[in-house]
Amino acid sequence: MAVTIDAPPSQVWPWLVQMGWDRGGWYSWDRLDNAGRPSAREVHPEWQNVAVGDYLRFWTPGAGPTDAYAVAVLEPNRFLGLHGLSDLLGRRLDPAQPRPPAYMEGLWGFLLNELPDGRTRLVISGYQTYRPRWLEHFVVSWLYITVTWVMQARMLAVLKRNIERAVAHEKPAAAEAVPAGAGESRADRR
């Protein structure tokens, strides 16, 4: 799934790296994927430091806040790759240990393609697997694709709206910061 955002990647990136239940949220249907906590409507400097190996939290019924996605790849202003590995109740599993008979594992990627006119094409893609296989066939066929489509479509719409709104608010402030007469010649001032 993808959306074009009227902002360069450097203004999209801060919104992605602040994702997580206890941070900026997931920018989707907050009652469903953020336990009712509203997702951020602005960039928060305190949530901008994320590194490979850090975990982004998710809310799971019964388990509460859980380390859900490990940051697997981090290319600032270009790509954020997340890896999730949990039991069927949403509790994180150690990727260095053998997989149990029942688990979920997934990759979630956020690619920022810079467009020539200062815009960004944000592409979200991923892969999810479940074990045992019969569960995967049931979940993927009947639930996962539909739920993922609805949630990610909302995420893309909210990100686009929030980022473009933030950029629009920055432009007037930047214009006001220019001193009167700056850039004018003496002839212009007469």
Side-chain angles (χ1 to χ4, degrees), residues 57-69:
R57 302 192 90 182
F58 210 87
W59 178 269
T60 57
T66 304
D67 290 341
Y69 293 103

Side-chain angles (χ1 to χ4, degrees), residues 50-61:
V50 66
V52 171
D54 287 353
Y55 279 90
L56 304 182
R57 302 192 90 182
F58 210 87
W59 178 269
T60 57

Side-chain angles (χ1 to χ4, degrees), residues 13 17-18 23 47-52 54 56 71 74 80:
W13 184 254
V17 297
Q18 71 181 17
R23 297 161 49 93
W47 294 330
Q48 294 304 302
N49 296 323
V50 66
V52 171
D54 287 353
L56 304 182
V71 176
L74 196 61
L80 173 64

Side-chain angles (χ1 to χ4, degrees), residues 98-180:
R99 304 294 190 264
Y103 67 93
M104 300 178 289
E105 186 169 13
L107 302 172
W108 200 11
F110 299 81
L111 175 66
L112 289 84
N113 287 318
E114 186 171 8
L115 301 177
D117 54 0
R119 298 183 307 154
T120 301
R121 186 74 174 162
L122 172 59
V123 181
I124 300 177
S125 187
Y127 172 79
Q128 187 81 25
T129 188
Y130 294 82
R131 292 297 181 271
R133 286 241 188 237
W134 67 264
L135 179 63
E136 180 176 59
H137 293 298
F138 173 77
V139 170
V140 171
S141 298
W142 295 99
L143 297 172
Y144 182 76
I145 294 171
T146 304
V147 170
T148 300
W149 190 90
V150 170
M151 300 300 278
Q152 281 188 172
R154 172 72 175 182
M155 175 189 244
L156 289 170
V158 169
L159 281 167
K160 178 178 175 60
R161 180 191 67 215
N162 288 352
I163 294 165
E164 289 177 355
R165 184 179 297 153
V167 169
H169 282 69
E170 288 175 10
K171 287 180 183 175
E176 291 170 10
V178 176

Side-chain angles (χ1 to χ4, degrees), residues 61-97:
T66 304
D67 290 341
Y69 293 103
V71 176
V73 180
L74 196 61
E75 291 181 38
N77 300 325
R78 180 74 176 133
F79 185 77
L80 173 64
L82 306 176
H83 174 253
L85 177 62
S86 64
D87 66 16
L88 297 181
L89 297 175
R91 294 178 299 227
R92 184 173 59 89
L93 298 172
D94 183 350
Q97 298 297 315

